[in-house]
Amino acid sequence: MRTYPPEPFRIKVVEPVKMTSQAEREEEIVRAGYNTFLIQSEQVYIDLLTDSGTTAMSDAQWGAMMMGDEAYAGSKNFYQLERAVQEVYGFKYVVPTHQGRGAENILSRIMIRPGDYVPGNMYFTTTRYHQEANGGKFVDVVIDEAHDSEYIHPFKGNIDLKKLEKLVDEVGAAKIPYICLATTVNLAGGQPVSMQNMREVKEFAVKHGLKIFQDATRCMENAYFIKKREAGYANKTIKEIVREMMSYADGCTMSGKKDCLVNIGGFLALNDHDLYVKACELVVVFEGMPSYGGMAGRDMAAMAQGIYEAIDYPYLEHRVEQVRYLGDRLAAAGVPIVLPVGGHAVYLDAKRFLPHLAQDTFPAQTLAAHLYVESGVRSMERGIISAGRDEEGKHRYPKLELVRLTIPRRVYTYAHMDVVADAVIALYAKRDTIRGLRFTYEAPSLRFFTARFELI
Ligand SMILES: *Cc1c(COP(=O)(O)O)cnc(C)c1O
């Protein structure tokens, strides 16, 4: 028997959730156009839409919220946040932003020129949007194994150095503003990158005069996998591992809504002073003063505290192993999921779950909708709808057609995970009855947020 760590916290405040009937949920999914993003949260029993901003904050974080210094400029909470980022991540300069995409916007505007290429270990929706909006072209350089949902690899988020080398040979280093290194890789299933790979990418970057920016959104979870899986790291602290990871980068963008254990916030961190000056010029245009960047003082205080809690080993172990618990239950029942299970979510493989549906009838979207109707569990499509259309207006057909069951941090118990597992297993037993979808509304960019569908 495998064991799982018990909750390293006790519950001080509770939020009752509503139990809905199947008839109510059938009505709601039609109202929401079969898009789980458009379901009202009050109609959801267990919300696994995202781990973004859905964290339960600690008593210490709520205490810090009361110490908000809401000065327009120079808030003491900014200096707390700056100190936390400098100490835990190791970068010199910190520019707060309202969330991760605010940092992506600033970084992309500073670094990318029309005609540039931005290599990355698999795309992320908002990251790629900002790269392309600034005239760059995203180039996927993740190892091939990342696109195979059944391939077992301890560091499935690694960059393929041969692909990187090929890109440099083809377009030249001058056309590559930076390498975008995501830790962990969200769209590959929350898969980590090894320290060895980061070191090799850094050597490559130095050789070719390239910069590296991490999308460090879930770097703590990545550090946990390094500690567990990579030789030489078992006795290192999470903080030591994170510092080493970041030592191979020139800076990072961060969505505080994930690893930093807050409901809103983000930052751009940098080592280069000239880039920092440029970032400050842009942050005042898009976010706010460089000492708040779209965040209230109290939110910066909560994030500064959250950064220290995020590197606490008992918290991190429970967080990642709870995700594994859900994955283990589904795998044991024969449900097709992405393996190995990643750090923040279990991904159902909708192509294998619903082999009778063509990808342009949106298997993952329809599976997410049916799971909600079955059980009140809300999940998210990460497949053809999220991938969007190419320059010619055609669907991009990603190899991975997934439904993401994302576990919020410190919110649900193992009993909740059992409810989710039972619902997915019940749906798998009647998968043959599930039909595909077609669009009734589609936005021109980031369509997954607002698209509407009907059953075919
Ligand atoms: C959430 C996320 C972002 C964007 O951050 P927001 O805070 O949602 O703007 C960027 N990259 C990855 C990998 C993410 O998961």
Side-chain angles (χ1 to χ4, degrees), residues 85-86 89-94 246-247 249-252 269-271:
V85 174
Q86 287 167 342
Y89 296 82
F91 295 114
K92 276 195 205 137
Y93 304 109
V94 184
M246 296 304 146
S247 75
D250 296 283
C252 74
L270 303 149
N271 281 332

Side-chain angles (χ1 to χ4, degrees), residues 52 99-101 104 124 126-127 186 215 217-218 255 257-258:
S52 179
Q99 57 187 81
R101 70 198 69 181
E104 291 171 346
F124 184 74
T126 58
T127 319
N186 191 346
D215 178 345
T217 294
R218 296 182 184 79
S255 170
K257 304 172 71 171
K258 291 37 174 278

Side-chain angles (χ1 to χ4, degrees), residues 88-262:
V88 174
Y89 296 82
F91 295 114
K92 276 195 205 137
Y93 304 109
V94 184
V95 183
T97 57
H98 74 288
Q99 57 187 81
R101 70 198 69 181
E104 291 171 346
N105 176 38
I106 293 171
L107 181 69
S108 301
R109 280 174 184 265
I110 296 173
M111 301 294 296
I112 300 171
R113 299 286 158 267
D116 279 352
Y117 295 82
V118 188
N121 48 344
M122 209 174 262
Y123 85 97
F124 184 74
T125 52
T126 58
T127 319
R128 186 177 66 193
Y129 174 83
H130 285 294
Q131 291 165 355
E132 293 183 346
N134 285 284
K137 187 171 170 24
F138 165 80
V139 182
D140 190 1
V141 293
V142 77
I143 56 172
D144 285 339
E145 290 86 344
H147 292 282
D148 178 348
S149 72
E150 292 176 87
Y151 193 91
I152 304 285
H153 187 299
F155 294 104
K156 227 172 161 176
N158 280 355
I159 284 185
D160 184 334
L161 280 123
K162 283 196 221 75
K163 290 186 189 173
L164 205 52
E165 185 130 42
K166 185 161 167 273
L167 180 68
V168 173
D169 288 347
E170 277 171 16
V171 307
K175 287 261 176 233
I176 302 175
Y178 61 94
I179 299 164
C180 180
L181 176 70
T183 51
T184 58
V185 183
N186 191 346
L187 284 146
Q191 304 293 342
V193 179
S194 71
M195 194 73 88
Q196 190 190 331
N197 189 246
M198 286 183 233
R199 221 176 280 129
E200 287 166 2
V201 172
K202 177 68 179 174
E203 278 165 25
F204 180 90
V206 169
K207 191 170 128 200
H208 295 277
L210 298 173
K211 287 200 171 345
I212 299 171
F213 282 93
Q214 279 219 12
D215 178 345
T217 294
R218 296 182 184 79
C219 67
M220 309 304 186
E221 291 159 17
N222 199 112
Y224 176 81
F225 285 118
I226 288 175
K227 186 176 169 75
K228 285 281 170 178
R229 295 178 184 172
E230 192 161 350
Y233 289 92
N235 296 321
K236 293 222 193 285
T237 64
I238 295 299
K239 187 171 162 185
E240 286 167 335
I241 297 172
V242 170
R243 282 295 287 261
E244 185 181 343
M245 288 167 63
M246 296 304 146
S247 75
Y248 303 131
D250 296 283
C252 74
T253 57
M254 184 70 204
S255 170
K257 304 172 71 171
K258 291 37 174 278
D259 257 0
C260 300
L261 296 167
V262 286

Side-chain angles (χ1 to χ4, degrees), residues 9-11 13 15 51 53-59 61-62 257-258 260-263 306 309 315 408-412:
F9 51 78
R10 55 186 174 185
I11 296 164
V13 177
E15 178 189 358
D51 62 335
T54 52
T55 296
M57 291 206 297
S58 69
D59 51 359
Q61 285 178 293
W62 282 108
K257 304 172 71 171
K258 291 37 174 278
C260 300
L261 296 167
V262 286
N263 304 123
E309 292 178 14
Y315 148 72
R409 296 171 181 78
R410 308 190 289 207
V411 172
Y412 293 116

